[in-house]
Amino acid sequence: MSSDNLVKMANQIAHYFDSEPNRALAVQGVRQHLQSFWTPAMRQQLAEWIEANAGEGLDPKVLEAMP
């Protein structure tokens, strides 16, 4: 899958949790979704993209949710 698609999908997941007033719970929700529904290869590719691009353009909740 292209990195652009992974970033787009990760941001969509994070935006789903925008209505959660507790930021820690929102980040936990993003983390849980990525663990439950993304393959290890997808998470690895996103982690590599974050490292290469300093996370630019990625919702901060995703950055916090990634290990």
Side-chain angles (χ1 to χ4, degrees):
M1 180 173 291
S2 79
S3 295
D4 289 341
N5 282 343
L6 289 177
V7 169
K8 179 181 175 182
M9 290 185 341
N11 281 335
Q12 288 173 334
I13 294 163
H15 293 313
Y16 174 82
F17 290 98
D18 282 346
S19 63
E20 172 58 61
N22 183 322
R23 182 167 179 84
L25 288 178
V27 171
Q28 180 182 355
V30 172
R31 181 179 299 119
Q32 183 62 44
H33 184 94
L34 294 175
Q35 287 291 324
S36 296
F37 300 107
W38 283 34
T39 66
M42 291 168 70
R43 292 191 304 270
Q44 179 63 36
Q45 186 177 351
L46 182 61
E48 290 169 1
W49 182 91
I50 290 170
E51 186 175 324
N53 297 284
E56 188 174 330
L58 199 57
D59 188 287
K61 291 184 291 300
V62 177
L63 293 173
E64 290 180 50
M66 290 294 290

